[in-house]
């Protein structure tokens, strides 16, 4: 899904094939399968992802945090065990590295910045997983299962879908099959002419906004007397925009190209069945 792509670089390719595995042959029978299933998953919160899996009689854990600027903090814990008395997963012998992709060398560069780290993973009394790391970098982080996060983000994105109007301007937001969203803005200057903007957007759950992930296109459309399109003149193909919903439930169009939506607040209307 496009709107979830911020987590894709955080998914740990080597570990993901092991997620959700039952106890391997010869594993420690002292760890109940319910405990294994309870902890084993991909857990996310914003730009952070933690993967916990169980294999060959032991828990394993790796985590990442997107730092921006193509840099990622990566944690590895060499030893993890379940403490039944505390109902926590205790991880030791950890190390943290800062990774970035070197464009010149065409390879991933990694520099260890901390070692001898420990961590405890426990539940908040519900379904959220808390990560208490020895450096305190994950303080306040409440992780949820990736599947639950995807569902919550999809529901949040649905608040944008539909028709919105402000004066002679209309915004139609529709969901596409790949999980992205099409945004079409029509602003009539007369009965025979209007401006149209088209954006391909993804929902950003962290910021709570729709953001164009490809350059947007603006065109001026002229209609003939028969109501058919007589001409379409493209004005630019490098538009950029974000869309937010304010505290009053009004859609705000933030046009980064020409600030066309300045001062406008769009009210939800009814989407015609033919749109989308």
């Amino acid at each position: 899904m496009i709107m979830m792509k911020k987590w894709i670089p955080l998914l740990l390719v080597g570990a993901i094939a092991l997620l959700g595995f039952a106890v391997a042959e010869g594993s420690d029978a002292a760890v109940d399968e319910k405990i294994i299933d309870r902890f084993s998953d991909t857990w996310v919160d914003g730009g952070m992802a933690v993967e916990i899996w169980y294999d060959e009689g032991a828990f394993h854990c790796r985590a990442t945090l997107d730092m921006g600027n193509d840099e990622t903090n990566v944690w590895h814990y060499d030893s993890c065990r379940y403490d039944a008395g505390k109902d926590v997963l205790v991880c030791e012998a950890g190390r943290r590295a800062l990774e970035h992709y070197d464009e010149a060398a065409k390879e991933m560069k990694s520099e260890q910045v901390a070692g001898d780290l420990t961590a405890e993973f426990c539940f908040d009394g519900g379904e959220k997983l808390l990560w208490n790391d020895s450096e305190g970098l994950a303080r306040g982080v409440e992780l949820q299962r990736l599947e639950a996060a995807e569902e919550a983000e999809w529901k949040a994105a649905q608040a944008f879908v539909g028709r919105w109007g402000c004066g002679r301007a209309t915004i139609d937001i529709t969901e596409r099959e790949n999980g992205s969203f099409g945004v079409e803005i029509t602003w009539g200057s007369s009965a025979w002419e209007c401006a149209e903007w088209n954006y391909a957007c993804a929902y950003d759950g962290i910021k709570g906004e729709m953001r164009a992930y490809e350059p947007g296109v603006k065109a001026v459309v002229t209609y003939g007397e028969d109501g058919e399109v007589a001409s379409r003149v493209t004005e630019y193909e490098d538009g950029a925009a974000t869309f937010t919903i304010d505290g009053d439930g009004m859609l705000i169009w933030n046009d980064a190209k020409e600030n066309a939506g300045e001062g406008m607040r769009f009210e939800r209307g009814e989407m015609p069945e033919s749109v989308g």
Side-chain angles (χ1 to χ4, degrees):
M1 297 173 65
I2 295 293
M3 67 182 177
M4 300 300 298
K5 68 179 181 179
K6 62 177 176 293
W7 284 317
I8 299 302
L10 306 179
L11 299 181
L12 313 173
V13 177
I16 199 165
L18 301 174
L19 291 179
F21 272 28
V23 183
E25 183 178 354
S27 62
D28 186 357
V31 180
D32 190 276
E33 287 192 25
K34 292 182 179 179
I35 298 299
I36 295 172
D37 292 340
R38 190 168 167 228
F39 282 94
S40 297
D41 213 325
T42 301
W43 302 84
V44 297
D45 180 21
M48 181 172 287
V50 175
E51 287 191 290
I52 299 172
W53 71 100
Y54 192 84
D55 184 52
E56 296 184 353
F59 279 104
H60 305 269
C61 176
R62 188 180 175 192
T64 62
L65 173 61
D66 183 5
M67 304 297 292
N69 299 319
D70 296 323
E71 289 188 328
T72 304
N73 265 319
V74 180
W75 287 262
H76 295 263
Y77 295 101
D78 292 336
S79 174
C80 294
R81 57 182 174 80
Y82 176 65
D83 186 323
K86 295 181 178 180
D87 190 26
V88 300
L89 189 64
V90 179
C91 294
E92 300 172 329
R95 58 195 183 279
R96 177 169 60 88
L98 190 62
E99 295 186 354
H100 74 279
Y101 186 74
D102 189 327
E103 286 288 351
K106 301 298 181 184
E107 64 181 8
M108 187 68 71
K109 299 288 187 179
S110 179
E111 176 187 1
Q112 183 170 321
V113 293
D116 197 25
L117 304 177
T118 61
E120 290 188 353
F121 293 91
C122 62
F123 289 89
D124 66 347
E127 296 297 319
K128 297 290 184 66
L129 186 69
L130 307 179
W131 176 14
N132 301 307
D133 68 300
S134 56
E135 294 182 286
L137 297 179
R139 185 177 293 114
V141 172
E142 296 183 347
L143 300 155
Q144 60 180 325
R145 297 182 190 274
L146 177 59
E147 183 177 353
E150 288 180 331
E151 182 178 357
E153 188 159 297
W154 179 83
K155 289 181 179 179
Q158 298 310 299
F160 288 81
V161 175
R163 169 160 287 188
W164 305 79
C166 179
R168 297 177 65 89
T170 300
I171 298 179
D172 288 321
I173 301 179
T174 57
E175 186 174 9
R176 296 172 171 176
E177 290 185 358
N178 66 351
S180 69
F181 296 83
V183 179
E184 180 179 350
I185 304 170
T186 305
W187 193 342
S189 57
S190 71
W192 310 106
E193 185 178 272
C194 71
E196 287 186 356
W197 290 260
N198 282 277
Y199 302 98
C201 292
Y203 179 68
D204 185 336
I206 299 175
K207 295 183 178 180
E209 67 182 19
M210 288 284 179
R211 177 179 294 275
Y213 64 88
E214 292 180 350
V217 178
K218 179 187 178 183
V220 175
V221 181
T222 303
Y223 295 89
E225 293 183 358
D226 59 357
E228 298 297 323
V229 175
S231 67
R232 181 185 298 271
V233 179
T234 299
E235 288 200 349
Y236 56 75
E237 297 179 323
D238 59 349
T242 60
F243 301 86
T244 57
I245 297 177
D246 67 15
D248 296 322
M250 306 288 278
L251 184 72
I252 307 300
W253 170 24
N254 304 294
D255 181 1
K257 173 67 176 180
E258 56 179 333
N259 204 23
E262 182 179 12
M264 302 179 73
R265 301 171 74 235
F266 290 77
E267 185 177 6
R268 180 177 288 282
E270 186 173 342
M271 176 78 83
E273 292 184 5
S274 60
V275 176

